[in-house]
Amino acid sequence: MDPRRAETGKNSDQIQSGHVYHLALDIGGSLAKLVYFTKNDEHIVGSEKKKSPVKASGISNSSRNSPVLNGRLNFKKFETSKINDCLEFINSMKLHLGGCQQPESPGSQTITIKATGGGAYKYADLFKEKFGISLDKEDEMDCLVAGANFLLETIHQEAFTYMGNQKQFVWIDKNDLYPYLLVNIGSGVGMIKVEGDGKFERVSGTSIGGGTFWGLGKLLTKCKSFDELLDLSYRGNNRAVDMLVGDIYGGMDYSKIGLSSTTIASSFGRAISENKERDDYKPEDIARSLLRMISNNIGQISYLTALRFGLKRIFFGGFFIRRHPFTMDTLSVAVNFWSKGEAKAMFLQHEGFLGAVGAFMSSDKHGLKELLANQKVERPPSKLSFSLDQTQVPQQDGELNGDESIECSVYGA
Amino acid sequence: MAGLSEKPQALGIDQESAEANKNSSSNKKSVHNRLLEKDKEEGGQGGDMSPSAGSSIKRSGSRPQLDVSKAEIQGNVEEKYPTILLPNQSDDLSHLALDIGGSLIKLVYFSRHEDQSTDDKRKRSVKERLGLSNGNRRSFPILGGRLHFVKFETRKINECLDFINSKQLHRGGAESPYADGATDGNAIIKATGGGAYKYTDLFKERLGVSLDKEDEMDCLVAGANFLLKAIRHEAFTHMEGQKEFVQIDPNDLFPYLLVNIGSGVSMIKVDGDGKFERVSGTNVGGGTYWGLGRLLTKCKSFDELLELSQKGDNRTIDMLVGDIYGGLDYSKIGLSASTIASSFGKTISEKKELEDYRPEDISLSLLRMISYNIGQISYLNALRFGLKRIFFGGFFIRGHAYTMDTISFAVQFWSKGEAQAMFLRHEGFLGALGAFMSYEKHGLDDLMVHQLVERFPMGAPYTGGKIHGPPLGDLNEKISWMEKFLRKGTEITAPVPMTPAAGTTGLGGFDVPLSRGSSLRSDASALNVGVLHLVPTLDVFPLLEDPKTYEPNTIDLADPSELEYWFTILSEHLPDLVDKAVASEGRTDDAKRRGDAFARAFSAHLARLMEEPAAYGKLGLANLLEMREECLREFQFVDAYRSIKQRENEASLAVLPDLLMEIDSMDEETRLLTLIEGVLAANIFDWGSRACVDLYHKGTIIEIYRMSRNKMQRPWRVDDFDLFKERMLGTGDKKKPPHKRALLFVDNSGADIVLGMLPLARELLRRGTEVVLVANSLPALNDVTAMELPDIVAEAAKHCDTLRRAAEAGGLLVDAMINSSRSSKGKSSSVPLMVVENGCGSPCIDLRQVSSELAAAAKDADLIILEGMGRALHTNLNARFKCDALKLAMVKNQRLAEKLLKGNIYDCICKYEPAS
C-alpha cells in the first residue's frame, strides 16, 4: 500500500468498497475537489454531530421507484499537482463496484465519472490510462451555478456574512434568491450573474485571484503550501509593506476625499522607497499584504459588477476563501467600503465544492434535489436539515485532505 | 514713448486693459518680478511698462499698447529666437509652478518676450484699412508668450534649483532689470505634489522663495481641463502600438473620468472646471508594480523594471485559459486559450524557486496584471457614472507603450469595444500645470485652441520626451552641444534595432504589441512635450465652412510609406538648403557652423519622427515643413532664400511690362484664360520642388515661364476654368456683379508673384474687386512674405496705372502714403490693393490659426484664391469655404500627382468651388 495513502487516508479508510454510490469531480488549476455519496448504515463512525440522520421514509409518495438510501454526501480536496493521490483515492474506492454509471456490468473497464473544471480535459487521458476511468465532462459554469443554486435553495444555513469576526447566517427566501452575483474565486475569478436554474451568464471576472495569491506568495515567501501562506497572513501586518494614505499625507487623513490615514493607498507601495531586500521583510507581512490586495480588489470589482447589473446579493465562493476569516473579512470590508455600506458580501458554507456538487447533480438519476426539497418542506425550519460534519476541518488550516460531509439521502440508482 | 509700446509686464493680467495702460506710462517702477504682490495689490494699476527701451519702437502714445505686442508676438523677429533653454533671451516676466513628486519634479513656466519687431507702415495702413486700428477687436485677457515644460529627477533636485536660478524663474526671468535687485524674500511659487512639503526648506534656503502648496487633485483636474480644452490633439488612443490622436470638442468634454495612476490609483469624475469628485480608486497601482517588482527582481529602478517587461513572456508565469483547458479555448464564455486566467497562477504548480524565473517574465506578468486591473475598474466606474471618456495619466504610464496598450486592451475588452482608453500627451505635467493655473492671474483662462502653437526645440529629439539636462545658454552653447553629440557619435540617426520579443500571447489573444515595423523601443514611445507658444493674435479663418471638421493636411502621414517618402525628400533636399542658408549669411565661419548644427538638428528631428511619428503630436506634412523653417530660425537663419528671392523678383519685374502689354491686347475671355494659365505656369518657379530646382539650370525666368505657359494644354488635370469664367464674365447677357473683395493667398517670390499673381490681381482690381494679397508672416523657402510684398507691388506699380492707384488706395506705396491719404477722397475711383500677413512661417497654411489681420480682412471677402502646392495642394485641397474659392497649383511632384490626381508631374489644378 502506498504509504502516503495510509497517511492521508486516515479519514477515509472507513470507506468500503461498494458503499460509494456516486462520485463527481471538479479538477481546477490548483485543487481537485471530490463529492461522493456513502451509504449511511456503514458509514464513518465517530461523528458526534450526526444526531439526526435523514429519514427518507417520509418520501414514499415520490414518483420514483428506486429505493431511498440514507447516507452522507462527502467532500474532499486534493492539490491538482498531486493528481495521482486523487487517482489513487478514487481507485481505492473501487468505484467500478460502487454506485457509478454501470454497476450492472462490473466486468466492464469503462467507469464513467462526472467531472468538471479544466482538469477534466487535461487529465482525461491520465484517468483513462491509469484506471480505465473515463471522465464525463460537465461544463464548469453549469456545475458551479447548479451547485450554488442547490445549496442556496436547499440548505438552510448555507449563506452567511462575515464582518469583524462575526459570522452570521442569512436566511434567504428561495423565492427571492434571484438574480444574484456568484463570484467564484479559484485560481482566477469568475463573476456570474445567476437568474435561475440554468439561467446564468458570466459577466465579468479578473485574473487576480487565488492563483495570484498563492503564486506570488510562493515566490515571495518560503511557503510550501497555500494554507501555510494563508496561515502566515493571519499573523502579519500589512503596514510594513503597504503605503497607507497616512504615509503620504504625513499621518493625516486625506479627509477631503474621504480617505482615512489607514486606507491602503498603494499595495506594496512601501517596498518602493526603502532600501530593503526581500529577505528584510517578514513573510507574514508580505502574505498579509498580498491577501488584502487581492481580496480588496475582488470585493471592489464584484461590487461594481453587481451594481452594473442590478443584482441584489453577492455570494463569494471558490477555494480561495476556504472559510479563512481574514479573507472573508477583507472581502466584506471591500464590498462594504465601495458600496458605502449598502451591499454585503455573503459566503457559502460549501465554498470550494460548488462545481463538484453541480457535477454531482448533473446526473439526475439520484434525484437528490427533489428529495431534499421535499425533505425541507417536511422538516421544521428551526432544525437543521443537514448536519455539517466539520470535525476534521479546522477553521484556519483548511488541511487539504480534510473531509466534510452532509447527511442526506439519495435514490438508489 | 518707448515704454508705452511694450507689452505689459504681468502675464494674464486681465486688468491690463487699454485703459489701465494709458495712464501707466510712468509706472515703470512697478515691480513686475514681484508679481504676486502686485496681483494682490489689485488691478487697475498693474500696467507697468517694459524696461528695455533699446529695442522698443516708436509708436504714438495714444495707440493702445496691446495692439502692437499682440501683432508682434507671433511676428517676424521673435520666432527666430530659440525657445527653450535660453536664459539670455529677453524674457521679461515669468511664472513658475512646480509639481514635486516622488521621482520627478515637473516645472511649468511662462516666459514672454520683448517686442522687438519693427512697426512697418504697411501694417499700420492695413490696420487702418481693415478697421483694426485699435487692435482690440476683442479684449485680450492674455498676452503672447511661451509655456515651457521641463522635468527633473527628484533625487537630482539641485539640478532643478540650478535651472530655476540660472533662468531666474523665481524672480520673473533673467533679463529683467529687476532680477538683480534683492528679492524681498517673500516671493512665492505655487507647488503641488508630496515634495512641496518635503522640500519647502530647501527652496527657502537656496532660492529664498516660499512654496505655496496647492491641493494635488485640484491641480490635476485643472491641468487636465486646460490641456483638453486648449490643445487640439492632446488626447490619443493607443492600441497595438499605434497612437491615434483624438480631437475633442471642448464643448463636449464633460463629464469624463480621469484616472491618475501614481503609487495608487485615483479615479476622478470631472464635471467641469473645479467641479470634480474622487469616485473610486484602487490600491493596486504603480507602487504595487514597482514594489512587488523590486521584491521579485533585482531591478534598481522603476524604468529598469519597465524596460525588462519589454522582453518578457508572461506565459511562464501566468496561468492561461489554455493551461487549464488543455490548450483549448473556453469558447462558451468567450475566453480564448491565451486569456490570462490567473496572474502568477502558473507559479503555483511548478517546483521552481523565484530565481528560476526570468525577471523579464515576472515584470511583464506584473505589468499586465496591474494595467489590466486598472483598465477594468476604470471602465466599470465610467459606466456607473455614465461618463463618456476615460483619460489615463500619472507616472505609471510614462508614455510606456506596453502599459498603454494593456490598459487600452482592458477597457476595450470589458466594454466590448464600446469604450476607449485615452491618454494625454502632456501626462506628467497635469499637476504642475494645474499649480500654474492656481495663480490668481495666470492668463490661461480664456486661451483658445487656435491661439496655441506648439514648437519643438532642437533638443527634443535627443531628450526623447524625457528629462531635460542642464540649461543651455546662448546659441553658441547649443551649437557646441550639437557638436559634442556628433563627436561622441551618440547622435540618433535611426531607431536602435532590438530583437523582437517572442510573441507573447495573453489575455484574449493579445500579443505583445509591436510598433510599426517590428521593434519597439520603450523610450522611443515616449512623447515629446514642446514649448507652447501663446499667440493671442491668432484666429480661426472665418470663412471656413466648418472649422470643426477642417483638416488642413491632404496627405495622411499615418501611412508609413508616405511618411518615409517625405522624410526622404526632406533629407535629400537638406544639403541644398544648408548651402542656401549659409550663403544667405555671406558664408562666414559662423554661418557654416550654424548651418552644420541646423542640418544635424533637423536630421535628428526627422530621425526622431521616423522612430515615433507621434512623438510631437499629430503629424501632417504641413507640420514637417514648418518644423524645417522653425529649425532654420532656431539657428538664426532669418531668410535662407533672401538673395535668390531678390534676384528673381528683379528679373521678373524686368519682363513684367511686356507681359502686361501682351495681356492687355487680348479680349476679355482670352485674357482671363491667359491669366489663369500664367498663374499656373509661373507656379513652376518653386525652390521647394526638387524637379523645378533642376529646371532652373536650363534657362532664364522668362524662357521657362513662356515654355511653361505654352505647355498648358487644357483640359488640365482638374479643370473648372469654365465654371470660374462663367462666374467672372457671365454667359450671354447675364452678368454677375464683381466680387467685392478677393483674398489671394500667394506662394513664391519671383515669377510666381510677379508674372502670375500680380497680373491676376490687376484684372480683379480692374473689375472693381478689392484685392488682399495674403502672404507669409515669416520666410519659408522662397515664398514671398508680407514684408516684401509692398516693395514688389511698388516696383510693379511703376509700370501699371491700375496697380499704382490700387496700391495707393491700399496704402502700400510708402512714399506716396502721405500724399495718398490726403488726396484719397479725390482719387477714390480705385478699389484698394492690400497686403496682409497670414500669421505663419511655413510653406503650408493651417487655416485654423491665421493672423487676426487676415481674419479681419476675410470679413468682407467673397472670393478666395489659394495658389501653389503648399497652400492649395498639401493643405486645403479639400477645404470647404463659405465663399467662392479657386485653388490653383501646378503639381511639381510625381508621386503627389499620381496619388492625388492620378496624373503626372507638371499637371495643373484649377479647382473652382462656388459658395454653397
Side-chain angles (χ1 to χ4, degrees):
Chain A
M1 203 177 184
D2 184 346
R4 192 155 17 107
R5 230 193 75 215
E7 182 189 306
T8 58
K10 222 177 186 176
N11 308 317
S12 55
D13 53 5
Q14 303 273 354
I15 296 170
Q16 304 291 310
S17 61
H19 299 144
V20 175
Y21 260 75
H22 193 75
L23 179 140
L25 273 171
D26 174 7
I27 313 176
S30 356
L31 292 174
K33 279 83 65 174
L34 265 69
V35 169
Y36 60 95
F37 182 79
T38 48
K39 267 202 291 188
N40 226 14
D41 45 343
E42 297 175 51
H43 186 62
I44 313 162
V45 293
S47 176
E48 309 107 68
K49 286 188 184 172
K50 200 175 62 175
K51 282 168 195 153
S52 51
V54 175
K55 297 275 186 284
S57 53
I59 323 169
S60 52
N61 58 347
S62 163
S63 59
R64 294 183 181 252
N65 293 322
S66 314
V68 172
L69 305 172
N70 286 344
R72 302 181 71 86
L73 204 51
N74 299 278
F75 302 89
K76 197 166 176 64
K77 300 170 195 165
F78 293 89
E79 273 189 73
T80 305
S81 58
K82 297 172 185 160
I83 191 76
N84 281 328
D85 291 358
C86 175
L87 274 164
E88 289 288 344
F89 179 78
I90 293 168
N91 194 45
S92 76
M93 297 199 295
K94 304 285 187 287
L95 285 170
H96 49 293
L97 302 172
C100 272
Q101 316 300 69
Q102 289 103 350
E104 61 282 333
S105 55
S108 158
Q109 287 303 298
T110 40
I111 299 148
T112 309
I113 295 178
K114 289 284 184 189
T116 186
Y121 296 83
K122 195 168 174 182
Y123 298 109
D125 291 345
L126 187 69
F127 275 75
K128 190 88 184 170
E129 264 168 42
K130 276 220 161 177
F131 301 108
I133 299 168
S134 72
L135 298 180
D136 187 12
K137 288 129 200 142
E138 290 293 324
D139 179 79
E140 195 171 354
M141 215 157 283
D142 288 346
C143 290
L144 201 66
V145 172
N149 284 354
F150 166 74
L151 292 165
L152 284 168
E153 282 187 20
T154 53
I155 301 201
H156 188 58
Q157 292 203 333
E158 180 62 26
F160 61 90
T161 60
Y162 195 98
M163 281 280 270
N165 263 333
Q166 291 279 55
K167 181 173 176 177
Q168 195 163 6
F169 282 101
V170 179
W171 182 78
I172 293 165
D173 180 355
K174 74 179 200 181
N175 297 319
D176 189 34
L177 174 61
Y178 305 106
Y180 67 86
L181 186 71
L182 179 61
V183 180
N184 183 51
I185 315 177
S187 301
V189 182
M191 297 179 190
I192 306 159
K193 181 178 77 161
V194 183
E195 291 175 303
D197 268 340
K199 282 169 64 185
F200 63 90
E201 187 190 355
R202 182 188 193 274
V203 289
S204 194
T206 162
S207 68
I208 306 181
T212 315
F213 175 62
W214 176 208
L216 272 173
K218 211 179 144 204
L219 297 179
L220 289 166
T221 68
K222 302 284 175 204
C223 282
K224 291 278 175 285
S225 75
F226 182 88
D227 292 295
E228 189 187 339
L229 183 68
L230 215 45
D231 208 34
L232 272 185
S233 73
Y234 201 60
R235 306 196 299 262
N237 182 351
N238 68 305
R239 286 185 177 217
V241 183
D242 291 343
M243 184 187 285
L244 306 185
V245 168
D247 292 335
I248 302 176
Y249 292 93
M252 293 175 337
D253 294 356
Y254 193 178
S255 51
K256 188 182 166 193
I257 52 172
L259 294 180
S260 81
S261 63
T262 52
T263 306
I264 301 176
S266 171
S267 289
F268 288 87
R270 206 171 235 186
I272 293 176
S273 47
E274 297 183 18
N275 289 324
K276 285 188 187 172
E277 296 291 308
R278 186 170 68 251
D279 297 337
D280 299 332
Y281 294 96
K282 284 164 67 186
E284 290 88 338
D285 298 345
I286 288 177
R288 177 85 163 197
S289 176
L290 258 185
L291 186 66
R292 284 202 67 171
M293 173 178 103
I294 290 165
S295 304
N296 224 341
N297 197 59
I298 294 172
Q300 180 179 17
I301 295 178
S302 302
Y303 169 66
L304 286 170
T305 303
L307 200 68
R308 176 179 179 188
F309 294 101
L311 309 177
K312 285 181 270 197
R313 300 188 186 87
I314 310 173
F315 296 102
F316 291 89
F319 87 86
F320 174 67
I321 295 171
R322 293 221 180 156
R323 297 212 200 95
H324 188 279
F326 187 58
T327 314
M328 293 191 286
D329 202 52
T330 323
L331 282 169
S332 300
V333 166
V335 171
N336 189 58
F337 178 83
W338 292 111
S339 71
K340 299 201 169 93
E342 283 179 18
K344 278 195 169 63
M346 287 200 260
F347 303 92
L348 297 173
Q349 197 65 14
H350 292 89
E351 43 81 6
F353 287 97
L354 302 185
V357 170
F360 188 87
M361 308 275 303
S362 66
S363 170
D364 199 35
K365 57 172 70 162
H366 37 80
L368 191 59
K369 189 158 187 175
E370 187 189 340
L371 188 66
L372 296 173
N374 286 335
Q375 268 188 347
K376 188 166 161 98
V377 175
E378 286 177 8
R379 293 180 147 266
S382 57
K383 282 192 182 176
L384 284 184
S385 300
F386 301 88
S387 62
L388 292 165
D389 182 0
Q390 297 177 10
T391 47
Q392 294 109 341
V393 187
Q395 280 271 330
Q396 267 104 57
D397 78 17
E399 196 246 309
L400 270 183
N401 288 327
D403 289 343
E404 60 176 282
S405 57
I406 300 174
E407 288 190 26
C408 62
S409 313
V410 299
Y411 292 107
Chain B
M1 236 262 59
L4 251 195
S5 65
E6 300 303 325
K7 296 160 288 190
Q9 289 310 307
L11 88 121
I13 357 166
D14 16 1
Q15 82 272 27
E16 301 271 1
S17 62
E19 194 193 349
N21 294 326
K22 261 180 211 159
N23 43 20
S24 59
S25 58
S26 59
N27 193 13
K28 266 190 125 182
K29 269 180 287 173
S30 278
V31 202
H32 60 271
N33 57 337
R34 274 181 253 146
L35 169 90
L36 276 160
E37 220 179 40
K38 181 178 74 84
D39 279 348
K40 273 183 231 144
E41 255 176 4
E42 121 38 69
Q45 237 3 5
D48 43 341
M49 291 297 101
S50 164
S52 68
S55 63
S56 62
I57 312 90
K58 299 98 246 141
R59 183 168 296 218
S60 85
S62 63
R63 195 183 293 271
Q65 57 187 17
L66 281 186
D67 174 17
V68 181
S69 56
K70 280 183 289 126
E72 310 306 341
I73 280 151
Q74 49 129 113
N76 311 350
V77 191
E78 187 218 36
E79 299 292 9
K80 79 184 175 198
Y81 287 101
T83 49
I84 199 172
L85 309 176
L86 275 187
N88 297 330
Q89 66 200 6
S90 308
D91 295 7
D92 52 30
L93 182 70
S94 305
H95 261 305
L96 167 67
L98 297 164
D99 176 3
I100 312 177
S103 45
L104 292 174
I105 302 177
K106 278 80 69 176
L107 264 71
V108 168
Y109 68 94
F110 182 88
S111 66
R112 201 158 58 81
H113 288 248
E114 286 305 316
D115 179 353
Q116 297 176 338
S117 154
T118 53
D119 175 39
D120 63 284
K121 287 174 178 162
R122 178 198 64 78
K123 272 193 180 147
R124 247 193 237 170
S125 79
V126 161
K127 279 174 186 139
E128 279 158 14
R129 279 283 148 206
L130 299 174
L132 269 176
S133 51
N134 69 1
N136 275 330
R137 289 183 306 110
R138 59 164 186 251
S139 61
F140 295 112
I142 42 167
L143 294 166
R146 294 167 187 194
L147 210 49
H148 305 250
F149 301 85
V150 190
K151 285 183 210 170
F152 292 92
E153 285 186 67
T154 305
R155 60 193 173 87
K156 296 177 183 164
I157 191 160
N158 280 324
E159 278 182 18
C160 173
L161 293 167
D162 290 344
F163 182 87
I164 294 171
N165 194 41
S166 77
K167 287 181 169 296
Q168 293 288 298
L169 295 177
H170 55 304
R171 300 182 191 182
E175 287 296 290
S176 158
Y178 308 115
D180 297 339
T183 39
D184 52 15
N186 285 331
I188 287 169
I189 295 177
K190 294 280 188 187
T192 185
Y197 296 84
K198 195 166 170 185
Y199 296 108
T200 300
D201 293 345
L202 187 65
F203 272 83
K204 189 82 190 170
E205 202 177 292
R206 286 278 315 267
L207 300 173
V209 296
S210 307
L211 297 182
D212 187 16
K213 289 113 195 156
E214 290 292 322
D215 178 79
E216 219 166 331
M217 212 162 287
D218 288 345
C219 289
L220 203 66
V221 172
N225 281 351
F226 170 75
L227 288 166
L228 285 167
K229 282 196 281 189
I231 299 188
R232 189 169 277 117
H233 292 110
E234 174 64 20
F236 62 92
T237 59
H238 199 284
M239 290 293 281
E240 298 183 23
Q242 300 289 321
K243 297 180 183 69
E244 197 168 316
F245 290 96
V246 182
Q247 188 169 343
I248 291 166
D249 179 355
N251 299 318
D252 188 34
L253 173 61
F254 303 111
Y256 66 84
L257 187 70
L258 180 61
V259 180
N260 185 50
I261 315 178
S263 299
V265 183
S266 282
M267 299 178 190
I268 306 161
K269 178 170 81 113
V270 183
D271 290 311
D273 283 329
K275 282 166 61 186
F276 64 90
E277 184 191 356
R278 182 187 191 276
V279 290
S280 193
T282 160
N283 48 306
V284 185
T288 313
Y289 175 61
W290 175 210
L292 273 173
R294 252 195 93 207
L295 297 179
L296 291 165
T297 69
K298 301 283 174 207
C299 283
K300 292 274 174 286
S301 75
F302 180 88
D303 289 312
E304 190 188 340
L305 185 66
L306 211 49
E307 186 77 31
L308 270 187
S309 73
Q310 213 66 40
K311 293 167 256 167
D313 176 357
N314 69 311
R315 282 177 303 182
T316 61
I317 308 281
D318 292 342
M319 184 186 288
L320 308 185
V321 167
D323 291 330
I324 303 177
Y325 292 92
L328 300 170
D329 293 357
Y330 193 2
S331 51
K332 184 183 168 192
I333 52 172
L335 294 180
S336 79
S338 56
T339 304
I340 300 177
S342 171
S343 292
F344 284 84
K346 215 173 222 176
T347 57
I348 291 177
S349 46
E350 296 183 17
K351 299 218 146 45
K352 286 187 185 171
E353 298 288 312
L354 177 56
E355 287 68 28
D356 300 329
Y357 293 98
R358 294 170 66 222
E360 290 89 342
D361 299 346
I362 290 177
S363 176
L364 180 62
S365 184
L366 260 184
L367 181 65
R368 296 190 60 172
M369 174 179 103
I370 290 165
S371 304
Y372 192 81
N373 195 57
I374 293 170
Q376 180 177 16
I377 295 178
S378 302
Y379 169 65
L380 286 170
N381 276 300
L383 202 68
R384 176 178 180 187
F385 294 102
L387 309 176
K388 284 179 271 198
R389 301 188 186 87
I390 311 174
F391 297 103
F392 293 86
F395 92 86
F396 177 64
I397 294 175
R398 284 218 192 158
H400 190 258
Y402 196 77
T403 314
M404 292 191 278
D405 267 355
T406 319
I407 291 173
S408 300
F409 181 77
V411 172
Q412 204 198 30
F413 180 89
W414 292 110
S415 71
K416 299 202 169 85
E418 280 176 21
Q420 273 189 314
M422 288 200 253
F423 305 90
L424 301 177
R425 276 191 50 224
H426 287 80
E427 73 91 12
F429 286 104
L430 302 187
L433 198 53
F436 184 90
M437 311 239 341
S438 70
Y439 282 111
E440 206 173 318
K441 305 279 198 288
H442 52 72
L444 302 182
D445 270 340
D446 299 312
L447 211 57
M448 314 254 279
V449 171
H450 61 259
Q451 293 166 327
L452 286 168
V453 183
E454 190 174 13
R455 301 213 190 281
F456 294 85
M458 167 209 96
Y462 297 94
T463 60
K466 288 192 170 171
I467 295 142
H468 286 261
L472 293 174
D474 55 9
L475 181 68
N476 190 45
E477 273 183 41
K478 291 175 90 173
I479 295 171
S480 302
W481 190 73
M482 298 293 303
E483 287 167 346
K484 192 175 70 190
F485 256 94
L486 184 70
R487 265 204 311 280
K488 282 189 181 164
T490 46
E491 186 175 30
I492 301 164
T493 49
V496 177
M498 270 179 38
T499 352
T504 310
T505 51
L507 204 101
F510 182 53
D511 295 331
V512 165
L514 299 175
S515 71
R516 178 176 295 145
S518 60
S519 65
L520 180 76
R521 249 179 49 169
S522 62
D523 62 337
S525 61
L527 301 182
N528 289 78
V529 170
V531 178
L532 277 186
H533 292 227
L534 279 51
V535 192
T537 49
L538 289 182
D539 255 318
V540 178
F541 187 59
L543 292 173
L544 280 177
E545 195 176 79
D546 183 3
K548 270 182 197 156
T549 56
Y550 169 82
E551 164 60 48
N553 288 292
T554 309
I555 300 284
D556 186 3
L557 289 186
D559 174 353
S561 69
E562 208 59 54
L563 187 66
E564 202 171 334
Y565 173 78
W566 288 105
F567 279 12
T568 312
I569 290 276
L570 291 177
S571 303
E572 283 174 356
H573 185 64
L574 192 55
D576 188 54
L577 179 59
V578 172
D579 186 62
K580 294 269 175 329
V582 174
S584 74
E585 308 258 322
R587 297 195 184 279
T588 60
D589 285 348
D590 170 62
K592 281 179 194 152
R593 195 164 160 250
R594 282 188 285 131
D596 284 347
F598 155 73
R600 209 162 298 131
F602 185 61
S603 300
H605 278 308
L606 287 181
R608 170 79 182 127
L609 285 168
M610 271 309 267
E611 179 187 61
E612 174 53 72
Y616 298 168
K618 190 177 162 74
L619 184 66
L621 186 56
N623 309 71
L624 263 185
L625 296 177
E626 182 172 18
M627 172 175 289
R628 181 173 63 181
E629 301 302 329
E630 282 302 318
C631 198
L632 274 171
R633 288 189 267 274
E634 197 178 352
F635 290 94
Q636 295 185 4
F637 291 106
V638 184
D639 191 354
Y641 284 81
R642 180 161 42 202
S643 52
I644 292 169
K645 288 194 290 188
Q646 220 162 358
R647 199 170 63 227
E648 293 189 356
N649 285 340
E650 281 162 18
S652 304
L653 284 164
V655 296
L656 180 65
D658 289 349
L659 180 69
L660 292 181
M661 226 176 340
E662 182 192 341
I663 287 169
D664 288 345
S665 69
M666 299 171 178
D667 65 50
E668 200 175 42
E669 209 173 313
T670 322
R671 198 165 70 220
L672 188 63
L673 178 60
T674 308
L675 285 167
I676 297 296
E677 275 177 353
V679 170
L680 293 169
N683 192 233
I684 201 169
F685 296 93
D686 186 346
W687 283 92
S689 159
R690 186 87 210 167
C692 297
V693 171
D694 291 342
L695 263 184
Y696 301 153
H697 302 296
K698 293 171 189 156
T700 66
I701 281 184
I702 196 71
E703 279 169 1
I704 298 171
Y705 169 77
R706 287 199 199 281
M707 175 207 74
S708 175
R709 209 178 79 190
N710 290 337
K711 277 175 71 179
M712 293 285 133
Q713 294 283 331
R714 285 195 67 198
W716 300 310
R717 197 68 216 172
V718 176
D719 193 340
D720 297 334
F721 174 75
D722 293 337
L723 203 59
F724 178 64
K725 187 179 78 182
E726 192 187 316
R727 169 63 186 91
M728 295 296 286
L729 309 179
T731 41
D733 299 336
K734 280 182 270 173
K735 295 228 184 272
K736 290 184 184 167
H739 289 102
K740 183 171 185 310
R741 178 184 289 174
L743 301 181
L744 275 57
F745 289 76
V746 299
D747 188 10
N748 304 301
S749 298
D752 199 351
I753 176 71
V754 177
L755 306 180
M757 289 305 268
L758 274 185
L760 180 61
R762 173 171 172 263
E763 180 67 21
L764 289 165
L765 290 165
R766 271 189 183 170
R767 302 184 150 274
T769 301
E770 294 178 19
V771 174
V772 180
L773 298 174
V774 183
N776 262 17
S777 300
L778 297 172
L781 291 167
N782 64 328
D783 290 3
V784 67
T785 66
M787 288 281 271
E788 295 158 352
L789 263 179
D791 288 344
I792 295 170
V793 171
E795 200 57 38
K798 288 179 184 164
H799 310 290
C800 169
D801 233 29
T802 313
L803 284 176
R804 184 178 52 78
R805 276 186 283 119
E808 275 176 11
L812 282 177
L813 297 185
V814 177
D815 297 336
M817 268 287 280
I818 299 159
N819 194 21
S820 84
S821 54
R822 263 192 217 136
S823 54
S824 60
K825 290 264 151 62
K827 288 187 181 180
S828 62
S829 57
S830 179
V831 288
L833 172 64
M834 291 168 279
V835 172
V836 301
E837 61 175 343
N838 59 16
C840 64
S842 154
C844 299
I845 187 165
D846 179 345
L847 292 171
R848 289 171 303 201
Q849 299 189 297
V850 302
S851 70
S852 48
E853 203 175 289
L854 171 54
K859 218 164 35 184
D860 298 324
D862 50 2
L863 174 64
I864 293 171
I865 300 180
L866 288 160
E867 187 238 344
M869 288 231 293
R871 293 167 193 85
L873 261 185
H874 291 326
T875 51
N876 302 313
L877 182 62
N878 304 315
R880 310 284 306 179
F881 297 95
K882 289 177 185 159
C883 64
D884 295 349
L886 181 67
K887 297 162 185 173
L888 297 170
M890 178 188 272
V891 191
K892 287 151 292 189
N893 173 299
Q894 181 64 29
R895 182 185 171 99
L896 200 65
E898 283 169 21
K899 175 138 184 155
L900 287 183
L901 312 164
K902 299 188 171 58
N904 283 306
I905 188 165
Y906 305 128
D907 274 353
C908 289
I909 289 177
C910 172
K911 192 174 178 184
Y912 178 66
E913 294 154 326
S916 42

